[in-house]
C-alpha cells in the first residue's frame, strides 16, 4: 500500500477485498465503472500446418482491455536485437486465409495481433491500433532452435538445435498483408515494439498504412529470413521517441537462414526486399529513415520521400547488396555511410535528390555504383573527397521546391499526408 504514490498505480488489498487506485486524470475518477483487464488472449485461432484453421474472418470488431503480457515468458525471435513474448489479443498459429477487416484495437496492455508459426495469406486491413502495451502486429515463425517450445506443447522438435537456421519445414508465416491501417501510441509498456515486427517470416506486404508515436522503429525486420517483402505507400513519422537508434524502418541480418523463398529450392540467399513510394519523417533521434543495420542485404529502396536524418543511406557490419535510387532526401547531414563489400555484392546510390545540411557526401563509391545524383548544400558546394561526387551540386532549394519534387514522386499520398 505504501508504494501507491503515482498516478495510474493501483493496489488490491486481498484481506479487505478493496481495490485502491491512484487516479491519473484531473477531477474525480469515473463512478460508473473501472476496467480491470483479466484475460491476455481474447481470440485464439490455433491449428497446425497439417490441419490448419481456414478462412476465419473478423470484421468490424472492437478489441480492448486485454491484460498485460510483459511478465510472460520471452523468446529471442532471431538474430536481431529483440526479445518478445508470444502472446497477443488475437493469436494465430496454424491458419490459412485469416482476414481481420475494419477492426479497432485500443487500450490493450500487450500486443494486438500475433501471427505465430505456420500461417499463410493472413490479411489485416482497414483497422486502427491505439494505446497498446506492445506491438500492433508481430509476425514470428519457428526454426526448431530448441528441443521443445511452449508455443507447440507436446511436439518433439526434430534436429534441434542443429535445425536453428533451417526454415524449410514451413513453420513460419508467408504472405502476410497489412494494408490501409493506422497505428499510434504503441509500446506504452514494452519499448522493443513497432507497428509491424517480423522475424522468421517472408513475403510480407506492408501497404498504405499510417504510423506515428512509438518508442522505436515503425517497422522492424529482425533478420533476413527468406525475403520477398514489400513496404510501400506508407506514412511513418514520430518514431524512436524513447530510443537513440535507427529511424522509421530498421533491419538486421546477423544470422543466415535456409529457405526456399528465392527460387523454390533451398538456399541461404534471400529474395530481394522492396521499399518504395513511402513518406517517412525521421524527426526523433534522427539517424536515417532506412536503417539497414548489421549485415542487412538485398534491399532495393527507391522512389521514397525521406525527411531528416543524419545520413541518407546507411549499411554496416557486413551489409551488402543494398540499392538506393530515385529517392528524395530532405535535410540530411550527408549522403552515404556504408562499408566496403566483396566483389559482386556492391552497394548502389544513384539518381537521388539529396538536400544536405553540410558539404560532405560521406562514403565514396566507384562511379559505376554512384552516379546521376543531385546534391544540394547551403553554399552550393561540396568539400573535396569523392571525385566527381557522383552527380551535380546546387544551392539548397526552397521548401516549396522540395515539396514539388515530392508530390511528383508520391502524388496523392503526399497531398493527403500534408492535410493530416
Amino acid at each position: 500500500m505504501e508504494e501507491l504514490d503515482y498516478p495510474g498505480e493501483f493496489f488490491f488489498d486481498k484481506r479487505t477485498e478493496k481495490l485502491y487506485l491512484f487516479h491519473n486524470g484531473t477531477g474525480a475518477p469515473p463512478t460508473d465503472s473501472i476496467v480491470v483487464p483479466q484475460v491476455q488472449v481474447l481470440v485464439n485461432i490455433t491449428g497446425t500446418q497439417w490441419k490448419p484453421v481456414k478462412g476465419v474472418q473478423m470484421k468490424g470488431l472492437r478489441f480492448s482491455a486485454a491484460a498485460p503480457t510483459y511478465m510472460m515468458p520471452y523468446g529471442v525471435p532471431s538474430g536481431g536485437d529483440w526479445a518478445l513474448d508470444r502472446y497477443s489479443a488475437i493469436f494465430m498459429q496454424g491458419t490459412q486465409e485469416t482476414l481481420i477487416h475494419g477492426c479497432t484495437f485500443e487500450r490493450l496492455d500487450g500486443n494486438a495481433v500475433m501471427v505465430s508459426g505456420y500461417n499463410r495469406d493472413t490479411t489485416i486491413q482497414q483497422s486502427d491500433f491505439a494505446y497498446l502495451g506492445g506491438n500492433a502486429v508481430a509476425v514470428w515463425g519457428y526454426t526448431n532452435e530448441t528441443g521443445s517450445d511452449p508455443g507447440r506443447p507436446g511436439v518433439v522438435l526434430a534436429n534441434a538445435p542443429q535445425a536453428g537456421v533451417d526454415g524449410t519445414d514451413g513453420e513460419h508465416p508467408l504472405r502476410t498483408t497489412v494494408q490501409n491501417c493506422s497505428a499510434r501510441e504503441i509500446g506504452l509498456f514494452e519499448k522493443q515494439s513497432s507497428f509491424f515486427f517480423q522475424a522468421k517470416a517472408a513475403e510480407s506486404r506492408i501497404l498504405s498504412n499510417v504510423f506515428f508515436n512509438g518508442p522505436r522503429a515503425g517497422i522492424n525486420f529482425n533478420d533476413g529470413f527468406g525475403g520477398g517483402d514489400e513496404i510501400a505507400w506508407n506514412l511513418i513519422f514520430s518514431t524512436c521517441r524513447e530510443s537513440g537508434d535507427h529511424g522509421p524502418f530498421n533491419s538486421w541480418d546477423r544470422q543466415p537462414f535456409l529457405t526456399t523463398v528465392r527460387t523454390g529450392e533451398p538456399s541461404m540467399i534471400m529474395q530481394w526486399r522492396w521499399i518504395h513510394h513511402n513518406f517517412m519523417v525521421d524527426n526523433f533521434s534522427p539517424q536515417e529513415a532506412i536503417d539497414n543495420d548489421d549485415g542487412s542485404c538485398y534491399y532495393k529502396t527507391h522512389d521514397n520521400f525521406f525527411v531528416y536524418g543524419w545520413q541518407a543511406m546507411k549499411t554496416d557490419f557486413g551489409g551488402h547488396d543494398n540499392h538506393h535510387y530515385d529517392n528524395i532526401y530532405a535535410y540530411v547531414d550527408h549522403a552515404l555511410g556504408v562499408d566496403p563489400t566483396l566483389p559482386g555484392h556492391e552497394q548502389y546510390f544513384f539518381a537521388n535528390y539529396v538536400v544536405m545540411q553540410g558539404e560532405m557526401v560521406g562514403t565514396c563509391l566507384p562511379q559505376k555504383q554512384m552516379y546521376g545524383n543531385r546534391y544540394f548544400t547551403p553554399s552550393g558546394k561540396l568539400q573535396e573527397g569523392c571525385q566527381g561526387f557522383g552527380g551535380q551540386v546546387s544551392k539548397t532549394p526552397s521548401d516549396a521546391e522540395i515539396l514539388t519534387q515530392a508530390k511528383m514522386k508520391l502524388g496523392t499520398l503526399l497531398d493527403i499526408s500534408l492535410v493530416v
Side-chain angles (χ1 to χ4, degrees):
M1 185 68 171
E2 60 271 17
E3 298 293 338
L4 186 62
D5 57 3
Y6 194 81
E9 294 183 344
F10 63 89
F11 173 74
F12 179 63
D13 190 331
K14 294 181 180 180
R15 183 178 58 85
T16 62
E17 295 188 342
K18 286 185 177 181
L19 177 67
Y20 297 85
L21 172 67
F22 197 134
H23 182 45
N24 63 349
T26 59
T31 58
D32 54 349
S33 65
I34 296 292
V35 177
V36 182
Q38 300 289 307
V39 180
Q40 294 171 325
V41 180
L42 306 181
V43 175
N44 188 335
I45 310 170
T46 298
T48 67
Q49 182 177 164
W50 305 274
K51 191 176 181 181
V53 181
K54 298 181 180 180
V56 173
Q57 297 187 4
M58 290 167 276
K59 297 183 178 180
L61 301 177
R62 178 174 180 266
F63 297 89
S64 186
T69 62
Y70 49 79
M71 296 301 291
M72 300 305 292
Y74 269 55
V76 179
S78 54
D81 272 6
W82 284 38
L84 193 64
D85 57 304
R86 209 182 281 263
Y87 292 83
S88 60
I90 295 181
F91 181 85
M92 290 179 281
Q93 184 164 286
T95 76
Q96 294 179 1
E97 298 180 349
T98 302
L99 173 65
I100 298 173
H101 175 89
C103 293
T104 300
F105 300 84
E106 188 176 41
R107 301 193 184 280
L108 301 166
D109 288 346
N111 303 307
V113 178
M114 174 71 67
V115 185
S116 170
Y118 175 86
N119 289 273
R120 297 293 183 269
D121 302 299
T122 300
T123 300
I124 304 163
Q125 63 186 19
Q126 297 183 32
S127 296
D128 299 319
F129 301 82
Y131 299 102
L132 308 179
N135 300 274
V137 178
V139 183
W140 181 8
Y142 292 99
T143 55
N144 294 5
E145 293 179 343
T146 56
S148 62
D149 195 294
R152 293 176 284 177
V155 177
V156 177
L157 305 179
N159 299 325
Q162 290 86 352
V165 300
D166 189 348
T168 61
D169 65 354
E171 278 295 318
H172 52 266
L174 287 179
R175 299 184 298 277
T176 302
T177 298
V178 181
Q179 61 186 8
N180 300 323
C181 294
S182 70
R184 63 187 181 91
E185 273 69 44
I186 72 161
L188 300 183
F189 303 132
E190 174 51 73
K191 302 310 176 183
Q192 282 186 319
S193 53
S194 292
F195 162 54
F196 183 86
F197 169 80
Q198 174 170 304
K200 297 181 183 176
E203 299 181 311
S204 298
R205 302 173 72 238
I206 316 302
L207 310 174
S208 303
N209 304 285
V210 177
F211 170 77
F212 58 99
N213 292 355
R216 296 209 77 193
I219 299 174
N220 189 292
F221 282 8
N222 205 58
D223 53 49
F225 186 101
D229 308 282
E230 181 183 16
I231 300 170
W233 304 107
N234 301 285
L235 168 62
I236 307 176
F237 61 97
S238 292
T239 61
C240 295
R241 297 199 305 173
E242 300 178 63
S243 59
D245 197 8
H246 56 249
F249 173 85
N250 182 73
S251 66
W252 293 288
D253 191 10
R254 299 168 180 162
Q255 175 181 336
F257 287 97
L258 185 71
T259 75
T260 60
V261 174
R262 188 170 70 97
T263 65
E265 298 294 326
S267 174
M268 301 296 280
I269 302 175
M270 61 183 285
Q271 180 60 282
W272 287 96
R273 285 171 167 165
W274 300 85
I275 302 176
H276 65 90
H277 293 95
N278 299 283
F279 180 11
M280 298 185 183
V281 184
D282 190 17
N283 56 318
F284 276 89
S285 299
Q287 186 167 298
E288 53 274 315
I290 303 297
D291 185 354
N292 289 135
D293 206 355
D294 290 13
S296 297
C297 54
Y298 297 107
Y299 280 85
K300 291 192 176 182
T301 301
H302 66 90
D303 291 291
N304 300 281
F305 181 34
F306 299 137
V307 183
Y308 304 135
W310 184 49
Q311 53 196 353
M313 178 183 178
K314 177 250 187 146
T315 177
D316 59 7
F317 297 107
H320 58 87
D321 292 280
N322 288 306
H323 301 179
H324 278 228
Y325 56 95
D326 291 320
N327 298 297
I328 298 173
Y329 308 91
Y331 302 114
V332 296
D333 181 79
H334 60 276
L336 291 91
V338 302
D339 287 348
T341 62
L342 295 175
H345 295 283
E346 292 82 5
Q347 323 283 15
Y348 284 84
F349 189 84
F350 61 91
N352 295 295
Y353 184 101
V354 190
V355 181
M356 302 191 301
Q357 300 189 71
E359 296 183 346
M360 293 295 294
V361 172
T363 307
C364 302
L365 296 175
Q367 187 174 2
K368 66 177 182 179
Q369 299 164 228
M370 181 180 172
Y371 57 88
N373 299 298
R374 298 173 63 189
Y375 302 103
F376 301 88
T377 70
S379 65
K381 299 179 181 179
L382 289 172
Q383 295 184 25
E384 294 295 331
C386 298
Q387 183 67 32
F389 306 112
Q392 301 175 343
V393 59
S394 305
K395 281 193 172 183
T396 302
S398 66
D399 291 344
E401 174 59 25
I402 296 172
L403 288 174
T404 296
Q405 295 292 326
K407 286 181 180 180
M408 293 170 58
K409 184 76 64 180
L410 301 181
T412 56
L413 172 65
L414 187 63
D415 289 334
I416 294 171
S417 301
L418 292 175
V419 171
V420 172

